[in-house]
Amino acid sequence: MEIANQIFFLIFALLSFTFFLSFLWKFKFSKTDKANSNLLISIGLYGLCCLSFGLAPWVNNFLLTIANTSYVAANIALVILYKKWNQEKLTSQAIIALWCLPLAIACFYEPLRTAADSFSQRVALITISQEILLFWQTILLFKCFKKGRDRAIQLIFGLTLLNLIASITRTYRTLSAEGQLNIFLYSEDAISFGIRWLAFTCVLLVYIALGMYYLQQQVEKEQELQGKISLANVENQEILRLLDEKELLISSLLKVNKTVETGALSASIAHELNQPLGASSINIEFLQQKLAQNKLNPESAQEILGQLASDNLRASNIIKSLRDIFAGDTAITGQHDINALIKNVLSFTKLELSAHQIKINLELAPEVSAPINTGEVQQVLVNLLNNAINALANQNPTEGKLVTIQSSSTDQEIRVTISDNGPGISQEQKVQLFDIFSGTTKSGMGLGLWLCNHIIRRHNGKIWFENMPTQGVRFIITLPKDVKAGFY
């Protein structure tokens, strides 16, 4: 029986260290679950326990003390792991106290090991300590199972409960003087032998179940990431559809190009869609690059998908707004917060502002609202802000690049002012600044300010510009607060 015990212990030690190395390799590149270290510690200590039990008769019986304290410590690591699963924080003092428990047990166990006729006391010391920890584990696992109803956690709970029952049975047999109460672990009777190995087998199966649980989590994360990639493909198809619709709109508008305004509107579509579609193209290329390199993590994927969705929505809104302008629709749904619209536009352009080291000064009066088409007025604000960015782009950063946005309100109208400290508007540009195809930027199509003027006039508002006293230019927009006065 003694040789069989040692062989079993050494086999279990070999299996435990195999699991340890397998999990160590798996968790080496995983930084998403800080609880993984507790699982590795538990498996390593359990392997040390089995190895010490197996070698003790051949090396030194002091290894029995190491084996039993390692067994207790392995269960403490599992308690900490399950606490983290339930998001129950342990204080640093509590963690220190838990890890001091095996040392305290070792101090009690070692004198008992060398004392005569102390086998029952040694078994009781270790098994009762084990039972307290196992009972704690079952409570934590039950809480965790109630939250998610996971089959792997259910299996771990069942094995831990079976281990607890086996440990209680062994303690009862030992303390009630049933069976052969010998003085040495390796000479227990067949029933005690079977109960002990049932408990050890349960622990090993718990580690296998934990491996299954983490493997299941990894598969679920990969499936979630695959779903996000599929969503990105859907967004990409939607963008391509929008591009096709843009071409169709341009083609349709050119066919009925009986006035200069109609021709201008057709070109406006390409002008206004450049920014959101260009941003989407960059995000798609970045996503494809990360996928090709197999370096895409869920956080980056979520951020890119959010940007694609935002650009997609902006492109859809631009097309809808231009449709409304061409059809003469009056899509006013009620009063809208101008300050919120300004802040929304700033979120679109924050990367470009940062790239050119341009500061924003907001001077927004409270409760500035008007009856507007938010999509159209948003295009006006984006165009004016882009013009300010272009004016400041080549300016020396040491001179200080500043864009000031102000809002105010009276009983009759609201006013929005966008000013910059750039070079201002030249005398040649002033005369035809709001005319079609008379842009102020070399890369532009001359549609931005014309479209701004067209949209503001549709709201029965006004837009004009003034050169600043020192340097720069300000654009002023006024819109009526009376819904009857707005839109034609």
Side-chain angles (χ1 to χ4, degrees), residues 298-311:
E299 292 80 9
S300 297
Q302 186 64 40
E303 182 179 356
I304 295 170
L305 290 173
Q307 293 172 353
L308 283 172
S310 177
D311 291 331

Side-chain angles (χ1 to χ4, degrees), residues 318-337:
I318 288 170
I319 288 180
K320 183 179 183 302
S321 296
L322 291 173
R323 280 178 181 162
D324 294 342
I325 293 172
F326 178 67
D329 291 342
T330 58
I332 291 182
T333 57
Q335 295 284 336
H336 294 279
D337 187 355

Side-chain angles (χ1 to χ4, degrees), residues 30-47:
S30 174
K31 299 180 180 179
T32 57
D33 189 351
K34 295 181 180 179
N36 292 339
S37 58
N38 294 291
L39 175 58
L40 291 173
I41 291 170
S42 181
I43 298 174
L45 288 169
Y46 181 72

Side-chain angles (χ1 to χ4, degrees), residues 31-174:
K31 299 180 180 179
T32 57
D33 189 351
K34 295 181 180 179
N36 292 339
S37 58
N38 294 291
L39 175 58
L40 291 173
I41 291 170
S42 181
I43 298 174
L45 288 169
Y46 181 72
L48 176 62
C49 163
C50 294
L51 182 65
S52 299
F53 272 133
L55 295 179
W58 295 331
V59 179
N60 191 301
N61 284 339
F62 176 73
L63 288 177
L64 292 175
T65 303
I66 296 175
N68 283 289
T69 52
S70 299
Y71 195 27
V72 172
N75 278 280
I76 290 174
L78 288 180
V79 167
I80 298 174
L81 173 67
Y82 300 153
K83 291 281 284 186
K84 290 186 177 181
W85 278 8
N86 285 284
Q87 297 179 343
E88 297 177 6
K89 292 185 179 180
L90 283 170
T91 64
S92 56
Q93 294 86 347
I95 293 175
I96 292 172
L98 280 173
W99 286 117
C100 286
L101 180 62
L103 297 177
I105 290 174
C107 292
F108 282 103
Y109 183 89
E110 180 60 18
L112 289 174
R113 181 185 65 80
T114 56
D117 300 326
S118 62
F119 179 73
S120 59
Q121 292 91 331
R122 284 180 288 162
V123 171
L125 174 64
I126 299 303
T127 57
I128 290 174
S129 301
Q130 284 293 102
E131 287 151 19
I132 294 171
L133 294 171
L134 289 171
F135 182 70
W136 195 355
Q137 289 176 28
T138 56
I139 293 173
L140 294 171
L141 287 168
F142 184 71
K143 288 182 181 179
C144 194
F145 175 69
K146 282 176 65 178
K147 292 179 181 178
R149 300 287 177 180
D150 190 278
R151 290 296 183 90
I153 295 177
Q154 185 180 19
L155 176 60
I156 296 168
F157 172 78
L159 290 169
T160 305
L161 185 61
L162 182 59
N163 188 2
L164 175 60
I165 294 170
S167 182
I168 292 173
T169 303
R170 185 165 182 242
T171 304
Y172 173 77
R173 283 178 52 81
T174 302

